[in-house]
């Protein structure tokens, strides 16, 4: 239940006979509990919930399940679908695999799957549509236009392809062609609302605010669940100086969703007072950018400039993540502010200059609206290293490694000491399958500016591994980290594994002595590392013919050591893994 139920009726039935009931006003904010005493335990009861009109909202009978018959339910491990080898894939197989990857959040992996499918089935309508849609999501609009146009040329009634083609064309600056596709897409039930909002925004950007309002109101008259559309209805009413109507509609929408930031900000624009709202926005500058982007999408640059230019509070009233920047020192806020001034025919150079000198720590550009903002900043000042850095991050958020590296190379030339630059470049090379020697160059170069950065040293070791460097060389690189005594677990564990691989077992195990290893989600466990090191030592001893020493390690592997406190916490599960048992069997076989 997601809303209030006044004067609801909760009934207990035995068969068709109601034997007890209660009247109550129910709310999702509070759990309703009621004990009906004196009922026989032998009966099979049905619980029913009706609203004040007597309509049944919920009904459940003990032991009865409407979803499926009991005999059709298989408990335990469920059968899984085995995919055929990719070499035998048809177009639908590529589509199914990529769609599954998308649902799991692996967007870049899914895009590569679509691309492999299109390489074999370039005329597949479904693959062209799906690839184009995902490319729009990832901001790769130019190539999306090609795929979506190709699919739409074959099936002219494809509303999904038409909607996303409109999105891609608008992002490429072709509003006229985008309008044609959105007007067609709005005829579809599935894309009606999105296409109508896109058309309303287009009308508003072209100065037709009254027409934009008409479209928005036509949409929300049938869809009172579209809160964001309701916020833009209020904004357009206010901009058209229809204040009384705007206030009335604001009240209606805020009753629907009192937490919506856009609606709360519209209340401020209509003369309200909400200090808690400003503190809420100050807690995360991206909340401010979200509102500004909504206004900018409708060409309401004065309103966007207003939210971007406010003096936001600081101190104990503001709740934010550790290390988060205040809006006054968030470079994207300044860049957006300058962009809005230029859009209004004013000079935004001072805002761009302010943004270029602000910190970039914990600033991740990923909005499509940031493309024109950052490009304009670079047009005004081609040597703006911060704008180049953020534009590179924006490209990379869509998997566009090539353009990202071009922007970062500009930063490397202008201001090589800027934080995170070489780290980002090195990992971008590694994750995109580039030459590991190139990644090594970036990581080593950055070490001169930031020798205590753990990400750099770990990235350098990973690049050396991919370049085929021996384990001992990689271990020596990690041992050169100046803060090794207080290094995080990830570095210590990796170094221990490398030393063991190189046969230096004593230094490897000494790394685990007198250390506290905090548990990390998705990270390794110190007990797992310990068991791995001991088994590697035992295997090495067995290979040297020292069978007794090797077997002693195997037979006492699960016993705790006083010098390693973490071993007192149940080593058994780590000794009993398939990997560990296989290693022990190999060692015992060698000793036999």
């Amino acid at each position: 239940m997601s809303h209030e139920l006044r004067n609801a009726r909760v009934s207990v039935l035995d068969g068709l006979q109601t034997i007890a009931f209660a009247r109550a006003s129910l709310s999702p904010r509070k759990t309703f509990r009621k004990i009906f005493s004196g009922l026989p335990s032998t009966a099979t009861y049905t619980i029913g919930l009706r609203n004040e009109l007597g309509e049944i909202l919920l009904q459940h009978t003990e032991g009865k399940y409407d979803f499926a018959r009991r005999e059709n339910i298989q408990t335990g491990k469920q059968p899984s679908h085995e995919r055929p080898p990719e070499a035998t894939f048809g177009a639908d197989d590529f589509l199914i695999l990529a769609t599954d990857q998308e649902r799991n959040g692996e967007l870049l992996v899914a895009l590569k799957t679509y691309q492999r499918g299109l390489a074999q089935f370039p005329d597949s309508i479904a693959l062209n549509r799906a690839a184009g849609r995902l490319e729009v999501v990832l901001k790769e609009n130019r190539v999306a236009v090609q795929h979506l146009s190709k699919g739409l040329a074959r099936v002219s009634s494809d509303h999904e392809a038409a909607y996303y083609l409109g999105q891609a064309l608008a992002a490429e600056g072709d509003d006229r062609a985008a309008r044609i596709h959105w007007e067609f897409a709005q005829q579809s039930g599935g894309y009606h609302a999105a296409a109508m909002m896109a058309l309303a925004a287009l009308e508003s950007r072209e100065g037709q605010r009254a027409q934009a309002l008409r479209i928005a109101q036509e949409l929300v008259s049938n869809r009172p669940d579209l809160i964001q559309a309701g916020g833009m209805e209020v904004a357009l009413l206010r901009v058209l100086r229809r204040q009384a109507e705007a206030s009335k509609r604001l009240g209606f929408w805020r009753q629907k969703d009192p937490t919506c930031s856009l609606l709360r900000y519209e209340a401020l624009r209509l003369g309200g007072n909400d200090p808690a709202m400003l503190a809420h926005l100050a807690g995360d500058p991206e909340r401010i950018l979200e509102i500004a982007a909504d206004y900018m999408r409708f060409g309401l640059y004065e309103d966007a400039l207003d939210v971007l230019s406010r003096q936001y509070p600081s101190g104990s009233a503001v709740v934010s993540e550790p290390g988060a920047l205040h809006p006054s020192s968030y470079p994207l806020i300044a860049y957006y502010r300058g962009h809005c001034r230029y859009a209004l025919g004013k000079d935004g150079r001072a805002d761009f200059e302010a943004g270029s000198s602000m910190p970039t720590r914990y600033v991740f550009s990923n909005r499509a609206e940031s493309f024109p903002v950052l490009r304009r900043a670079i047009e005004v000042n081609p040597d703006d290293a911060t704008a180049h850095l953020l534009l590179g991050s924006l490209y990379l958020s869509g998997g566009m490694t090539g353009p990202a590296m071009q922007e970062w190379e500009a930063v490397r030339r202008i201001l090589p000491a800027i934080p995170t630059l070489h780290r980002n470049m090195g990992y971008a090379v590694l994750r995109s399958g580039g030459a590991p020697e190139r990644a090594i160059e970036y990581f080593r170069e950055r070490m001169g500016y930031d020798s205590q950065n753990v990400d750099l040293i770990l990235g350098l070791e990973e690049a050396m591994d991919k370049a085929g460097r021996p384990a001992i060389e990689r271990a020596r690189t990690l041992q050169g980290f100046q803060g090794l005594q207080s290094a995080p677990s990830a570095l210590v564990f990796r170094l221990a594994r490398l030393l063991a691989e190189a046969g230096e077992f004593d230094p490897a195990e000494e790394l685990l002595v007198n250390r506290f290893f905090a548990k990390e989600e998705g990270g390794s466990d110190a007990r797992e590392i310990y068991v791995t090191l001991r088994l590697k030592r035992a295997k090495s001893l067995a290979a040297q013919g020292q069978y007794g020493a090797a077997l002693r390690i195997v037979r006492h592997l699960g016993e705790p050591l006083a010098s390693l406190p973490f071993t007192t916490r149940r080593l058994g599960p780590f000794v009993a893994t398939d990997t560990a048992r296989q290693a022990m069997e190999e060692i015992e076989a060698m000793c036999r």
Side-chain angles (χ1 to χ4, degrees):
M1 187 173 67
S2 59
H3 60 277
E4 304 279 345
L5 278 181
R6 297 180 179 178
N7 199 28
R9 177 185 170 104
V10 181
S11 305
V12 180
L13 297 88
D14 183 0
L16 298 176
Q17 181 182 2
T18 301
I19 59 175
F21 73 91
R23 288 281 185 181
S25 291
L26 307 181
S27 167
R29 287 189 287 266
K30 186 178 180 181
T31 302
F32 171 77
R33 290 185 174 87
K34 174 68 176 177
I35 297 176
F36 296 98
S37 57
L39 302 181
S41 60
T42 55
T44 299
Y45 294 111
T46 297
I47 301 296
L49 173 64
R50 296 176 181 264
N51 60 18
E52 59 184 341
L53 299 177
E55 299 167 331
I56 295 177
L57 302 180
L58 178 68
Q59 188 165 288
H60 174 63
T61 302
E62 291 181 277
K64 182 178 178 181
Y65 302 94
D66 296 331
F67 182 76
R69 297 176 65 86
R70 183 179 295 274
E71 58 267 22
N72 294 334
I73 301 299
Q74 177 183 335
T75 60
K77 186 177 181 180
Q78 301 296 304
S80 59
H81 171 68
E82 296 293 335
R83 288 196 181 92
E86 190 167 306
T88 66
F89 270 19
D92 287 346
D93 293 306
F94 280 107
L95 183 68
I96 292 169
L97 175 58
T99 302
D100 187 52
Q101 291 165 340
E102 272 195 82
R103 287 171 178 161
N104 287 319
E106 300 175 301
L107 302 188
L108 298 180
V109 175
L111 182 58
K112 290 185 181 298
T113 302
Y114 286 131
Q115 290 168 343
R116 293 198 307 275
L118 285 169
Q120 294 187 40
F121 306 97
D123 295 326
S124 168
I125 297 168
L127 283 175
N128 275 288
R129 180 204 302 125
R133 172 186 44 72
L134 182 54
E135 284 158 351
V136 170
V137 172
L138 293 173
K139 304 176 284 292
E140 297 188 25
N141 295 294
R142 190 166 300 174
V143 66
V145 169
Q146 299 172 15
H147 288 137
L148 293 166
S149 298
K150 188 171 184 178
L152 200 58
R154 298 283 301 278
V155 181
S156 60
S157 60
D158 190 335
H159 295 95
E160 179 182 357
Y163 170 73
Y164 282 103
L165 181 54
Q167 293 288 90
L169 289 166
E172 289 294 298
D174 193 347
D175 284 346
R176 182 178 179 182
R179 179 192 294 275
I180 295 171
H181 293 293
W182 285 332
E183 286 178 345
F184 171 67
Q186 63 87 24
Q187 300 173 20
S188 159
Y191 290 90
H192 173 74
M196 289 283 279
M197 281 304 292
L199 288 168
L202 181 55
E203 294 287 358
S204 185
R205 288 198 301 273
E206 292 179 350
Q208 304 298 319
R209 303 281 165 71
Q211 175 66 1
L213 175 62
R214 186 193 68 77
I215 295 173
Q217 288 183 325
E218 179 185 341
L219 173 61
V220 300
S221 66
N222 298 314
R223 291 289 304 275
D225 58 312
L226 298 178
I227 305 299
Q228 211 70 11
M232 294 316 301
E233 178 200 12
V234 174
L236 289 168
L237 283 168
R238 174 179 50 76
V239 169
L240 291 168
R241 301 180 186 278
R242 294 160 62 174
Q243 306 295 98
E245 291 178 72
S247 297
K248 183 177 179 181
R249 292 302 288 167
L250 176 65
F252 170 81
W253 288 111
R254 291 202 68 183
Q255 191 173 28
K256 294 279 185 183
D257 186 357
T259 67
C260 175
S261 293
L262 176 60
L263 291 173
R264 292 178 69 185
Y265 196 78
E266 273 299 309
L268 292 178
R269 296 292 280 156
L270 286 166
N273 181 33
D274 189 356
M277 169 60 174
L278 296 180
H280 170 72
L281 295 180
D284 185 350
E286 288 293 326
R287 296 168 184 160
I288 299 170
L289 290 178
E290 182 68 24
I291 296 174
D294 283 336
Y295 287 139
M296 291 163 64
R297 210 171 291 125
F298 277 70
L300 305 180
Y301 290 102
E302 289 185 353
D303 295 293
L305 186 58
D306 181 82
V307 72
L308 293 164
S309 303
R310 287 196 178 247
Q311 297 297 314
Y312 288 94
S314 58
S316 59
V318 177
V319 179
S320 60
E321 294 287 341
L325 295 173
H326 188 266
S328 61
S329 58
Y330 200 72
L332 283 172
I333 296 281
Y335 284 131
Y336 270 66
R337 197 165 57 233
H339 179 77
C340 288
R341 291 194 200 280
Y342 277 110
L344 292 168
K346 303 176 182 179
D347 187 357
R349 190 178 300 270
D351 295 296
F352 285 161
E353 289 178 355
S356 68
S357 61
M358 290 179 182
T360 56
R361 186 177 177 85
Y362 299 126
V363 180
F364 309 104
S365 52
N366 55 67
R367 300 176 189 278
E369 293 82 4
S370 296
F371 273 119
V373 171
L374 295 170
R375 285 168 179 161
R376 186 185 288 269
I378 292 170
E379 181 183 330
V380 172
N381 178 14
D383 289 334
D384 185 340
T386 300
H388 279 292
L389 180 76
L390 295 177
L391 183 55
S393 298
L394 185 56
Y395 276 122
L396 194 68
S397 72
M400 294 172 274
T401 305
M405 293 298 289
Q406 290 179 10
E407 296 299 327
W408 289 337
E409 285 291 359
V411 182
R412 191 182 178 204
R413 171 181 54 82
I414 299 166
L415 187 63
I418 197 166
T420 74
L421 172 64
H422 297 79
R423 174 208 173 277
N424 293 350
M425 296 180 80
Y427 278 107
V429 169
L430 290 177
R431 300 297 177 262
S432 63
E437 293 293 346
R438 189 178 174 204
I440 290 173
E441 177 187 352
Y442 292 134
F443 288 127
R444 287 201 185 280
E445 185 176 318
R446 184 64 196 178
M447 295 296 288
Y449 299 101
D450 191 5
S451 61
Q452 298 303 298
N453 190 318
V454 174
D455 275 351
L456 284 175
I457 196 75
L458 290 175
L460 175 58
E461 188 276 324
E462 182 182 342
M464 294 171 68
D465 181 23
K466 290 190 175 182
R469 305 289 179 86
I472 191 61
E473 182 183 347
R474 289 147 50 204
R476 295 292 179 257
T477 297
L478 295 184
Q479 284 178 317
F481 185 71
Q482 293 182 10
L484 190 57
Q485 291 302 316
S486 57
S489 301
L491 193 154
V492 174
F493 292 161
R494 190 175 297 187
L495 176 55
R497 289 180 185 274
L498 288 173
L499 289 171
E501 188 178 336
E504 298 190 2
F505 299 107
D506 287 341
E509 293 183 13
E510 286 171 6
L511 286 170
L512 307 181
V513 177
N514 296 325
R515 281 183 183 271
F516 170 73
F517 296 104
K519 287 187 177 181
E520 298 179 8
E521 185 175 357
S524 298
D525 191 291
R527 292 167 291 178
E528 174 193 354
I529 301 299
Y530 167 75
V531 169
T532 300
L533 295 182
R534 295 297 290 167
L535 288 174
K536 282 184 177 293
R537 182 192 285 268
K539 193 169 185 178
S540 175
L541 289 170
Q544 298 171 32
Q546 300 183 45
Y547 306 127
L551 290 173
R552 277 194 296 273
I553 291 176
V554 170
R555 290 165 183 165
H556 297 281
L557 189 58
E559 298 176 3
L561 294 179
S563 58
L564 299 174
F566 62 82
T567 62
T568 62
R569 294 182 293 112
R570 297 187 63 223
L571 279 174
F574 299 92
V575 176
T577 64
D578 291 341
T579 302
R581 287 199 297 200
Q582 182 179 348
M584 287 187 282
E585 288 172 3
E586 291 177 3
I587 294 166
E588 289 173 349
M590 294 170 67
C591 293
R592 282 198 298 271

